[in-house]
Amino acid sequence: MSGPKIGDSFPEGVTFSYVPYTPEKDSITACGIPINYDASKEWANKKVVLFSVPGAFTPGCSVRHLPGFIDNLEKIKGKGVDIVAVIAYNDAFVMNAWSKANGVKNDDILFLSDVGTKFSQTIGWTMGERTARYALIIDHGKITYAEKEASGGDVSVSGADAVLSKL
């Protein structure tokens, strides 16, 4: 598959694994229990920015990709975005720890596990066994932006600045 196109519907049945934020599990050494997050249902009537990284705690993802979304979160939300979410092939425990390591609390950005890269495989955007680096804007179930990096190390079309310019 060549990937999603502008105007495509966000697929039905997309579920990620996720550890919801709770104040009592605020420490990086404490972790809650993962739950299934039904993105198709939760995002059906919302404007969502979804970006994907090859792996939590990796240099490109932690230094060049995620910080742009953290730094620009207010600007992104100011454009009418209800949810900002990041996915990776890592499990929900690792994604939860990555959010805490970056000071993201209260589910300001959802850190979701694309279990077995199922969603990324469905849209044809993987990088070997990992999720590829890409970004989607989903507006009430319709894809309005969909770009995948040509190289796994690049952060251009999937970065916060590129996404902001399309909101």
Side-chain angles (χ1 to χ4, degrees):
M1 180 179 199
S2 62
K5 305 281 185 256
I6 293 173
D8 286 354
S9 293
F10 188 74
E12 291 294 322
V14 175
T15 303
F16 300 113
S17 183
Y18 160 69
V19 177
Y21 173 82
T22 59
E24 60 275 2
K25 300 285 185 187
D26 196 27
S27 166
I28 197 166
T29 59
C31 198
I33 304 299
I35 62 169
N36 286 333
Y37 183 88
D38 186 339
S40 299
K41 178 182 171 192
E42 296 293 331
W43 299 348
N45 296 308
K46 293 185 172 96
K47 190 171 187 178
V48 178
V49 168
L50 173 65
F51 66 104
S52 173
V53 298
F57 292 106
T58 61
C61 305
S62 293
V63 175
R64 293 192 315 274
H65 207 166
L66 177 61
F69 286 93
I70 293 170
D71 295 344
N72 288 292
L73 187 59
E74 285 186 35
K75 288 180 188 173
I76 293 168
K77 296 267 182 142
K79 299 276 188 171
V81 172
D82 301 298
I83 295 172
V84 177
V86 58
I87 62 170
Y89 89 105
N90 302 92
D91 68 35
F93 296 111
V94 171
M95 295 302 285
N96 182 254
W98 196 37
S99 73
K100 293 173 184 178
N102 283 281
V104 178
K105 299 179 180 182
N106 300 321
D107 290 336
D108 291 335
I109 297 174
L110 298 179
F111 284 70
L112 308 171
S113 172
D114 186 2
V115 179
T117 66
K118 183 177 176 183
F119 172 70
S120 296
Q121 286 179 29
T122 298
I123 65 170
W125 283 357
T126 57
M127 195 172 74
E129 295 178 355
R130 295 176 179 254
T131 47
R133 190 179 305 280
Y134 60 86
L136 302 173
I137 299 173
I138 305 138
D139 194 349
H140 292 80
K142 293 290 182 190
I143 295 172
T144 60
Y145 180 78
E147 290 291 337
K148 177 182 172 280
E149 298 293 350
S151 160
D154 292 342
V155 179
S156 57
V157 297
S158 67
D161 289 338
V163 169
L164 260 170
S165 75
K166 299 299 180 178
L167 289 171

